[in-house]
Amino acid sequence: MSLPKDLLYSEEHEWVKKEGDNVRIGITDFAQSELGDIVFVELPEVGDEVEADESFGSVESVKTVSELYAPVSGKVVEVNEELEDSPEFVNESPYEKAWMIVVEPSDKSEFDDLLSDEGYNEFIND
């Protein structure tokens, strides 16, 4: 399983990529493999506010519906609209094509609660 070293990870299985003042968010390879084939992705609208550890959407697989939890608080400035027509990107490319939202963080101290690739790897293998 791939774990990019330049990302941060939440215990809810989301990844965070810092991009200037904003962060790009998606779900991890581990999460998509546990969920199985993704058939639908529900995401917030641009302009919505998300709160750390609160649901910002959901993914539906052939097995279950799973909530998506924001790793950081802030304002949604971009949404990956391609996932509406191509939810399978979550399974095929969780770190590239299947990013979900871009957020302008409101509290940078929340990054301290996220895990490095090594910390996340330990978390999922405990």
Side-chain angles (χ1 to χ4, degrees), residues 1 5 9 13 20 26 46-48 55 57 67 74-75 83 91 105-106 109:
M1 175 180 346
K5 295 193 177 306
Y9 300 88
H13 309 290
V46 169
D48 286 354
S55 175
E67 295 291 317
K75 181 178 176 181
L83 296 179
N91 297 114
S106 57
S109 72

Side-chain angles (χ1 to χ4, degrees), residues 1 27-38 63 90-91:
M1 175 180 346
I27 67 168
T28 65
D29 191 28
F30 174 80
Q32 71 78 23
S33 67
E34 292 289 303
L35 290 168
D37 293 337
I38 304 297
K63 293 196 261 186
V90 177
N91 297 114

Side-chain angles (χ1 to χ4, degrees), residues 70-86:
V72 295
S73 302
K75 181 178 176 181
V76 177
V77 295
E78 194 176 344
V79 174
N80 187 348
E81 309 224 348
E82 288 187 16
L83 296 179
E84 193 173 313
D85 294 327
S86 302

